[in-house]
Amino acid sequence: MATSARIAWKVLAGCQRHLLCASGPAYTGVSQTAPRNLPVRTFAAVKVQKKDQKKENVEKDAKKEKKEKKEKKVINDTERHKPFGKTAWTPVDDVYIMRYYPRTIHSATDAIDMLKKFQVLDFTPLSQPIFIDLRLDMKLEKKKRVEPFVSTVHLPHPFKTEMNKVVVFTEDPNQAKVALDSGAAFAGGIELIQPILDDEISADFYVAVPDILSKLVPLKNKLRKKFPKSKRGTISTSIPRTLELFKTGHEYLVENDCYVRTQIAMLDMPAEHIYANLQTILIDVCSQRPANMGPFIERAIICSQTSEAIWFRSEDVLPKAEQTTEE
C-alpha cells in the first residue's frame, strides 16, 4: 500500500513538471523580455528618388512658381461702383479734392494747353521753361539692366538763343583749322590742357580725335562727365558733322538709374512746336531700349517752372511704327 502511494506521487510529480515545461520557458535566473506584437503596416513604402530626379522636381516647382508670379490677374475696375479707398472714378464738378479720386492722365496736347492756361490764371511770366520727367523701365531678362545713357538730339524748334561752346582736341593743324571754320570755340592739342585746368577755357562740350585721347588723361578729374567718350559721341574723326550736332544739339541723360529730367521748350512757344520737341525727345529715348522688350516709358510728367505737374500718356506721342517696334 505504501509502495503504491509512493509510485502515484512520483507519477503526479512527473506530470506536473511536464506541464510546466510545455506552458512556458523556464526561468533560470536570466531575465528574458516578453515578445512584443509589431504593428502591421498598411501603406506602401516610399520609393527612393535619385539626386538627379530630386533636382529636376525642384527646378520644375521653381518654374511653376515663376510662371504664377508672372501671370498677374488684370482686374477690370470699370464696372465697380467706386475704386478702392476713393470716393468715385471721376469728380462731378471742376473743383474737387484730388486725393479722393484716381489720378487723371491727360493726352500730351491737353497737358500743353493746361500749362498755358495755368500761366494765365496764376499771373506768372510767359517766358519760362517747360520740363518733362520720365521714369524708364530699365529691366532686361535674367536680372540684367539697361545701362544709364547720355544722348544728344536735334530739336526741330530749338529754345536756346545761343549756340553751345565746343572745344576740339586735335594735333593736326588742318583738322584744327576745319574745326574753327565749322564753329568750334577752341581747337588745339595738349596746349589747351593747362588753360582748362586754370579755368581760362570752359565749354559745353569737349570733342576729341581718337589719336589724342591718351594724352588728355590729366583732364579726367576736371571735366568728369564732359570728358570725351565714345558713348556720348564726343570721340569722332568727322569733326564738321560732330560739331554740327553739338553746336545746336540738346543733351539729356538718365539720372538715378531710371529717370530722365530735361527741358524741352519754353512756355511762350506755340503749342505745335512744344509738341514737336516733346515727340523728338520721346522717340530718341525709346530708341535706346533693346528691340522687343516692351514699353520703355513707365510714367511721364510735364510741367512748367511755376505750374503743377501734369501726368500725360507717352504712348499717344510716339508714332505707331515706334509703338510696334517696342511691343
Side-chain angles (χ1 to χ4, degrees):
M1 190 70 184
T3 56
S4 62
R6 235 183 267 115
I7 292 168
W9 279 108
K10 288 181 181 179
V11 171
L12 289 173
C15 291
Q16 188 177 6
R17 284 196 300 271
H18 179 71
L19 291 172
L20 290 174
C21 292
S23 62
Y27 292 93
T28 58
V30 181
S31 63
Q32 296 183 3
T33 58
R36 301 171 63 184
N37 295 326
L38 297 175
V40 179
R41 185 171 59 193
T42 59
F43 53 88
V46 179
K47 187 178 179 181
V48 180
Q49 293 182 348
K50 296 181 180 179
K51 292 184 178 179
D52 297 337
Q53 291 179 352
K54 290 183 179 179
K55 288 182 180 179
E56 289 178 0
N57 294 335
V58 172
E59 290 177 357
K60 288 180 181 178
D61 295 338
K63 288 180 181 179
K64 287 181 181 178
E65 290 179 0
K66 287 183 180 179
K67 287 182 180 179
E68 291 177 357
K69 289 181 180 179
K70 288 182 179 179
E71 294 175 357
K72 295 181 180 179
K73 294 181 180 180
V74 180
I75 301 174
N76 188 7
D77 293 330
T78 56
E79 297 180 358
R80 290 189 178 185
H81 178 63
K82 65 177 183 177
F84 179 75
K86 305 290 182 180
T87 303
W89 286 104
T90 55
V92 180
D93 302 327
D94 294 336
V95 181
Y96 58 92
I97 301 176
M98 295 182 63
R99 67 174 179 269
Y100 293 155
Y101 300 91
R103 185 182 297 279
T104 304
I105 301 177
H106 306 272
S107 63
T109 53
D110 292 343
I112 294 171
D113 293 338
M114 291 173 67
L115 291 179
K116 290 185 174 293
K117 291 179 182 178
F118 291 160
Q119 182 271 327
V120 177
L121 296 173
D122 297 338
F123 299 99
T124 55
L126 181 59
S127 179
Q128 55 178 306
I130 296 178
F131 303 93
I132 59 171
D133 188 341
L134 308 176
R135 185 176 65 195
L136 309 180
D137 181 13
M138 306 287 281
K139 296 179 182 178
L140 295 175
E141 295 180 350
K142 298 180 179 179
K143 297 183 180 180
K144 295 182 180 179
R145 294 180 62 85
V146 179
E147 294 183 1
F149 54 87
V150 182
S151 181
T152 305
V153 294
H154 268 303
L155 296 178
H157 306 284
F159 55 85
K160 291 183 179 179
T161 57
E162 297 180 357
M163 289 193 304
N164 299 322
K165 290 183 179 180
V166 184
V167 174
V168 178
F169 294 102
T170 177
E171 291 182 335
D172 189 353
N174 296 328
Q175 288 181 342
K177 185 179 179 182
V178 172
L180 292 173
D181 294 339
S182 300
F186 300 95
I190 57 175
E191 66 273 7
L192 297 177
I193 295 178
Q194 193 60 39
I196 293 173
L197 293 175
D198 296 338
D199 294 330
E200 297 177 3
I201 295 176
S202 61
D204 299 314
F205 297 97
Y206 296 87
V207 179
V209 178
D211 298 337
I212 199 175
L213 191 62
S214 59
K215 300 179 182 179
L216 302 178
V217 176
L219 293 175
K220 273 193 173 181
N221 293 331
K222 179 68 176 178
L223 300 181
R224 295 186 180 181
K225 292 182 179 180
K226 293 183 178 181
F227 189 80
K229 293 180 181 179
S230 57
K231 290 183 179 180
R232 302 181 61 148
T234 50
I235 299 176
S236 175
T237 55
S238 59
I239 294 176
R241 189 192 306 171
T242 307
L243 283 173
E244 190 65 26
L245 173 63
F246 289 105
K247 278 192 308 180
T248 59
H250 175 70
E251 185 184 53
Y252 68 90
L253 69 157
V254 177
E255 303 174 1
N256 300 329
D257 295 332
C258 64
Y259 292 97
V260 173
R261 302 181 179 98
T262 183
Q263 182 181 353
I264 62 167
M266 299 293 292
L267 190 59
D268 56 356
M269 295 172 59
E272 296 80 8
H273 294 181
I274 299 173
Y275 184 86
N277 288 354
L278 174 63
Q279 188 178 39
T280 302
I281 292 178
L282 291 186
I283 291 174
D284 188 76
V285 169
C286 292
S287 66
Q288 305 292 334
R289 176 81 170 192
N292 301 324
M293 290 302 296
F296 196 24
I297 302 174
E298 292 183 339
R299 186 261 293 150
I301 298 175
I302 188 170
C303 67
S304 65
Q305 191 173 12
T306 59
S307 71
E308 63 184 67
I310 302 174
W311 293 48
F312 69 95
R313 292 186 293 271
S314 60
E315 57 270 15
D316 296 343
V317 182
L318 298 172
K320 293 182 179 179
E322 186 72 18
Q323 291 180 3
T324 53
T325 53
E326 286 184 12
E327 294 174 359

